Amino acid sequence: MVFRLEAERAHALSLWALRTRMAMLVMPPRRVPPPPGLARRLWGLDFAHPLGLAAGYDKNAVAIDPLFDYGFAFVEIGGVTPRPQPGNDRPRLFRLAPDRAVINRMGFNNDGLDMVAARLAARRRRLAGAPVGRRRPVFANLGKNKTSEDALADYTAGLARLGSLVDVVVVNVSSPNTPGLRDLQGRALLTGLLSGLMAARDGGIAGEARPPILVKIAPDLDDAGLADVVDAARDAAIDGMVVANTTLARPDSLQGRNRAEAGGLSGRPLKARALALTREVYRATGGAMPIVGVGGIESARDAWDRMAAGAGLLQLYSALVYEGPGLVARIVDGLNGRMIAEGVRDVGEIVGTAA
Ligand SMILES: Cc1cc2nc3c(=O)[nH]c(=O)nc-3n(C[C@H](O)[C@H](O)[C@H](O)COP(=O)(O)O)c2cc1C
């Protein structure tokens, strides 16, 4: 039924169903604790298993706990910009069903830092007495306003406002839908931006909190561009990388009638590139920088391959559109089954084995 709706309406309906917990009636989540061998610990944070929700689905932090109920080990909210903004004109979200892909040119439509911070703070208060097991990591994806001239100020505002309300901060310099944003991936600009954010964090801009800071990169970087990003990440000593955002590339294989729409392409056609880039980043950093692998993950096999290429954690978004939320449990089960079959006791042992 959802599939018959225009894509952005379907997205809004699914979020509403989660928020009101209507979704749980229609599609009850399976509540089975994942086997302990799937657990991961990074940056001092505990993850029940490696798979989380990628940025862009719950931009405004309205459905974090219902999303956890469907089994995600972590949820990335955002992108959030300092001031609320409407994003691009509709239509701006398109399914490419034959390709198992999505094209979006949302343009950072979001409620802004004040509203999102208020929601996160209210959630914190609600969870204050909850058992530790309920406290699953939340990431915040930070963007800049379309009309802002000062990127560092925008990201710093995001860090200041959300840094103490989430567990990990992701600096998104790779959305293709904000003019000029990807230019921030250049060596000098990126080093300045990331060093500035690290210094602000360590100087206490988010109070007591010192959230890990990750940078999210584009899959369209060439070799020189990637080398620049890796150097900048290393020079600024950031805590990890999210690989990767949507692509501007349009493979010849695309069949969907929306394939010529402008925007970022995600889902199955992004898989090979995101996998290769994960491997390149892992090699370039000698495996020393944690990688969150994202782009085209839709099965346990993809999850395994991405970890073997060097990802310590995983995320997905587009595959949910086609598979529904039951996919999370299927991937976690599949990973576990293969670990048993191959005699792997700790999922972390897979990381980088095929890099
Ligand atoms: C509708 C939509 C909105 C997105 N919004 C954001 C965003 O605000 N910030 C961001 O870093 N990535 C955003 N992404 C990119 C995803 O987080 C992810 O990197 C990308 O879709 C590749 O993963 P997938 O193939 O599993 O979808 C968005 C993706 C989609 C489809």
Side-chain angles (χ1 to χ4, degrees):
M1 185 189 84
V2 172
F3 221 76
R4 297 177 74 98
L5 295 173
E6 184 272 323
E8 191 165 348
R9 279 180 187 276
H11 171 256
L13 176 67
S14 72
L15 258 186
W16 171 85
L18 283 169
R19 204 158 36 81
T20 58
R21 303 214 165 246
M22 204 67 114
M24 279 66 179
L25 297 177
V26 188
M27 293 178 288
R30 212 194 35 168
R31 290 170 205 266
V32 184
L38 282 171
R40 300 244 60 210
R41 192 173 167 84
L42 281 113
W43 313 295
L45 299 168
D46 286 312
F47 297 81
H49 59 74
L51 184 61
L53 177 66
Y57 178 76
D58 188 5
K59 284 181 187 273
N60 295 313
V62 299
I64 296 173
D65 291 300
L67 285 161
F68 280 138
D69 286 344
Y70 277 106
F72 286 110
F74 62 108
V75 167
E76 183 166 330
I77 59 131
V80 190
T81 56
R83 283 169 289 108
Q85 59 178 35
N88 293 320
D89 292 340
R90 296 190 194 191
R92 54 192 180 176
L93 179 62
F94 307 89
R95 295 186 200 95
L96 283 73
D99 311 297
R100 291 285 176 133
V102 172
I103 290 176
N104 92 82
R105 52 170 180 271
M106 306 302 287
F108 282 153
N109 56 310
N110 77 102
D111 290 345
L113 285 175
D114 286 347
M115 190 108 82
V116 170
R119 284 195 192 108
L120 290 169
R123 173 174 181 270
R124 270 275 158 102
R125 286 193 295 275
R126 264 197 326 271
L127 285 185
V132 178
R134 292 270 314 155
R135 293 186 208 144
R136 283 157 291 192
V138 176
F139 292 26
N141 185 274
L142 303 182
K144 71 176 260 299
N145 279 115
K146 186 176 179 184
T147 54
S148 164
E149 303 277 314
D150 187 345
L152 178 60
D154 277 24
Y155 292 104
T156 307
L159 175 64
R161 208 62 211 282
L162 303 187
S164 64
L165 294 168
V166 297
D167 302 287
V168 176
V169 163
V170 179
V171 181
N172 175 10
V173 287
S174 48
S175 166
N177 300 311
T178 294
L181 192 80
R182 286 179 165 200
D183 299 342
L184 295 171
Q185 292 176 119
R187 168 113 197 230
L189 279 178
L190 191 60
T191 306
L193 175 65
L194 297 177
S195 307
L197 289 169
M198 293 297 279
R201 178 195 73 179
D202 294 337
I205 200 166
E208 301 280 289
R210 302 280 186 274
I213 297 179
L214 319 184
V215 67
K216 183 165 177 179
I217 66 174
D220 304 322
L221 292 166
D222 59 14
D223 289 349
L226 178 65
D228 279 354
V229 167
V230 168
D231 285 345
R234 225 185 337 229
D235 288 351
I238 61 160
D239 302 289
M241 287 170 80
V242 183
V243 183
N245 216 312
T246 57
T247 179
L248 289 170
R250 293 291 184 272
D252 290 337
S253 63
L254 295 181
Q255 300 291 319
R257 63 187 166 82
N258 290 321
R259 64 182 183 270
E261 292 291 345
L265 174 72
S266 55
R268 192 177 289 171
L270 177 57
K271 187 186 305 191
R273 176 61 188 149
L275 176 68
L277 194 61
T278 299
R279 188 172 287 124
E280 286 167 31
V281 171
Y282 187 85
R283 284 187 190 158
T285 56
M289 189 170 292
I291 299 169
V292 181
V294 51
I297 294 174
E298 55 179 328
S299 66
R301 190 199 165 140
D302 294 338
W304 185 285
D305 290 348
R306 201 64 56 98
M307 294 190 81
L313 292 173
L314 307 166
Q315 292 178 322
L316 56 77
Y317 180 168
S318 298
L320 275 187
V321 173
Y322 298 102
E323 298 281 335
L327 178 63
V328 184
R330 288 199 291 281
I331 290 180
V332 172
D333 280 353
L335 255 185
N336 186 49
R338 183 155 166 199
M339 282 170 59
I340 292 168
E342 299 201 11
V344 174
R345 296 175 62 156
D346 176 345
V347 74
E349 291 168 29
I350 308 170
V351 178
T353 48

